[in-house]
Amino acid sequence: VDEISFRHVDAIGLQFVGKNNILRRTTIQFAGQMGLNARGSSMRVEENRFLHNNTRVFNKWWEACGVKIIGDQGLHDSAFSSNVFAFNRGDGLWVDWMNTNIRIDNNIAAFNSGFGIHFEASQGGVIRDNASYGNGQRGIYIFESSDVLVENNVVLGNGLEGIVAAQGDRWKSNPILLPRRNQFKQNVVGWNRDIQLMHAPDGLEADSDFNTIFSDGVAQFRRGWGSAIHRPARGLLALRKGLGVFA
């Protein structure tokens, strides 16, 4: 599908199922629920625009966004490159449930009401050279996923944390959902409303190096979700002393 415009679709703008599909230079906007849904393998999504989707205001925690990748056996060995995900009511790009080897590079995720880029319950991803800014929630959110490299992104001015790799509860019945071996490398992160960087708890082989952090006050970082007794580290020195994962 190349150079097509989809507008004002009642539910999903476009659905792709199968192998070796390509979506290129296409605009999907004002869809009632989401712009794109896809599953299969070896898919390329390049130079598209996903704008102003979820006009019917479905619950974004269920399924409403610019793009959501979910269904059957998931999506594998696929790439999202040089797209714009903006002004959607929900997340910009949401990769959810048992997807593998997904590359997300050179995209803009901006001014969505939810997360800019959301990578959930999936394994093996590269999120590189993206800009995620002005979103209502987290800039880049890695949830219950493993072996994800988050590298050389610019993540600024989001409504919650900047970049997060987090653990949920589903690993107790499905151990593959433990967020192991996630890495944050050479990102520029700043002026997000909450924590700038957050990794999963200790013992899950997290790594973070050579990131550049901006903050009007003392930048804050964390391992695991916060609580009254689990406060964030304030400043890089406190982080190195207490967490041993960031450099």
Side-chain angles (χ1 to χ4, degrees):
V1 176
D2 193 358
E3 297 187 351
I4 304 296
S5 179
F6 298 86
R7 296 188 300 271
H8 300 287
V9 177
D10 185 57
I12 300 174
L14 178 65
Q15 185 173 53
F16 257 127
V17 180
K19 297 181 179 180
N20 301 312
N21 292 312
I22 300 172
L23 177 63
R24 181 187 293 136
R25 293 187 293 267
T26 285
T27 298
I28 305 178
Q29 57 186 338
F30 302 111
Q33 182 182 358
M34 71 178 78
L36 171 70
N37 170 258
R39 57 186 183 269
S41 64
S42 303
M43 182 178 183
R44 287 158 41 205
V45 180
E46 305 169 343
E47 301 178 56
N48 306 286
R49 299 190 304 163
F50 304 93
L51 310 173
H52 299 284
N53 295 295
N54 190 22
T55 59
R56 293 178 62 191
V57 198
F58 284 90
N59 184 347
K60 89 102 185 171
W61 295 105
W62 170 63
E63 192 169 87
C65 51
V67 174
K68 188 173 186 183
I69 305 305
I70 192 169
D72 290 349
Q73 302 302 312
L75 183 68
H76 311 281
D77 306 315
S78 297
F80 295 81
S81 302
S82 303
N83 303 285
V84 176
F85 310 92
F87 303 107
N88 298 288
R89 290 178 174 171
D91 302 340
L93 170 61
W94 186 359
V95 177
D96 187 15
W97 198 252
M98 299 304 166
N99 307 285
T100 62
N101 191 25
I102 304 297
R103 189 179 80 246
I104 301 168
D105 64 295
N106 291 294
N107 302 283
I108 294 172
F111 305 113
N112 303 286
S113 68
F115 309 127
I117 297 172
H118 186 180
F119 197 94
E120 179 177 358
S122 299
Q123 300 77 46
V126 175
I127 302 174
R128 177 183 286 144
D129 298 325
N130 303 283
S132 183
Y133 55 87
N135 298 289
Q137 297 177 317
R138 300 172 184 113
I140 298 177
Y141 184 34
I142 313 302
F143 182 58
E144 297 185 324
S145 298
S146 57
D147 297 297
V148 180
L149 172 62
V150 182
E151 182 177 51
N152 202 38
N153 301 281
V154 176
V155 182
L156 302 174
N158 295 288
L160 292 174
E161 297 91 344
I163 303 177
V164 171
Q167 177 177 317
D169 294 325
R170 290 181 290 183
W171 68 271
K172 295 174 184 177
S173 58
N174 191 349
I176 198 172
L177 297 178
L178 269 175
R180 296 185 180 278
R181 298 176 298 275
N182 295 311
Q183 302 179 68
F184 303 162
K185 304 283 187 179
Q186 300 183 83
N187 301 285
V188 176
V189 185
W191 301 298
N192 299 288
R193 183 177 178 184
D194 201 340
I195 306 300
Q196 302 304 315
L197 295 178
M198 176 183 140
H199 260 300
D202 294 336
L204 296 177
E205 304 166 80
D207 192 16
S208 185
D209 291 299
F210 304 108
N211 299 288
T212 301
I213 309 298
F214 294 95
S215 177
D216 288 334
V218 178
Q220 299 187 65
F221 312 87
R222 191 164 55 215
R223 286 284 296 268
W225 298 114
S227 68
I229 60 174
H230 184 199
R231 307 299 297 166
R234 294 176 57 82
L236 191 57
L237 183 61
L239 185 70
R240 287 172 171 162
K241 180 179 178 181
L243 304 182
V245 64
F246 294 88

